[in-house]
Amino acid sequence: MLSFLPSSEEECKHFHMSRAKVLSVFRSLHRARKKVFQGDGVALAVGRSKINDEFRKHTQETDANKIKELITVAEDSEKLLRKTVVQGKAREDGTYEIRITEDTVLEKNTLFDEHAKLPVRGRKKKCSDSPDT
């Protein structure tokens, strides 16, 4: 009997639930990749390869706690990809056009006042600043 197959009915149920969850998060990551990198063939291909490689690395994993941990990492990665990665293209005028999705988290921007008086910080000492002994 193969060692990675479940041996009891309880293990079998857990195995099928974990497998379904892994497949679900795998598909979610690929959907996020397609949405975030839409129109960028290189980024789409690199993202597909990276996702597939990471999942392939762990196909023989049997430890339930490790599987849960890997699922959590994959879910967090999917959220991070959707919410924080934006696609930018250089324009001819030297500026960039940024493609933001409805999932992108936007922070309130504060305009910089170029006439503001900023505090001057002292320079930290480096090891090379000490006198030779």
Side-chain angles (χ1 to χ4, degrees):
M1 185 159 133
L2 298 173
S3 63
F4 62 86
L5 291 177
S7 58
S8 69
E9 189 175 325
E10 185 62 33
E11 284 180 0
C12 191
K13 286 179 185 177
H14 180 72
F15 175 80
H16 289 296
M17 287 189 314
S18 292
R19 178 173 163 70
K21 185 63 177 169
V22 168
L23 291 173
S24 173
V25 74
F26 177 79
R27 287 189 299 269
S28 291
L29 267 168
H30 276 292
R31 282 192 297 272
R33 170 190 64 88
K34 287 178 182 179
K35 187 173 189 176
V36 170
F37 300 120
Q38 179 183 350
D40 186 343
V42 173
L44 285 166
V46 170
R48 178 179 51 244
S49 178
K50 183 66 173 167
I51 292 167
N52 291 345
D53 289 349
E54 289 300 313
F55 275 79
R56 258 188 225 108
K57 265 196 246 180
H58 302 286
T59 56
Q60 299 301 315
E61 185 61 62
T62 58
D63 180 351
N65 290 328
K66 179 67 175 175
I67 293 169
K68 284 180 186 177
E69 179 184 322
L70 291 166
I71 288 171
T72 300
V73 168
E75 289 172 333
D76 291 348
S77 298
E78 186 265 341
K79 287 175 190 166
L80 193 66
L81 184 61
R82 281 190 189 274
K83 293 182 177 192
T84 63
V85 176
V86 295
Q87 189 178 29
K89 286 185 181 178
R91 293 181 175 173
E92 288 182 15
D93 64 359
T95 61
Y96 286 85
E97 179 179 340
I98 305 295
R99 193 175 71 77
I100 297 173
T101 69
E102 66 274 4
D103 296 322
T104 305
V105 175
L106 301 174
E107 298 291 331
K108 183 178 178 185
N109 289 327
T110 304
L111 295 177
F112 179 73
D113 179 4
E114 60 188 60
H115 303 294
K117 299 209 183 244
L118 302 175
V120 178
R121 290 189 192 169
R123 187 171 79 89
K124 291 184 178 181
K125 282 189 172 185
K126 297 181 182 177
C127 292
S128 61
D129 290 343
S130 61
D132 293 332
T133 48

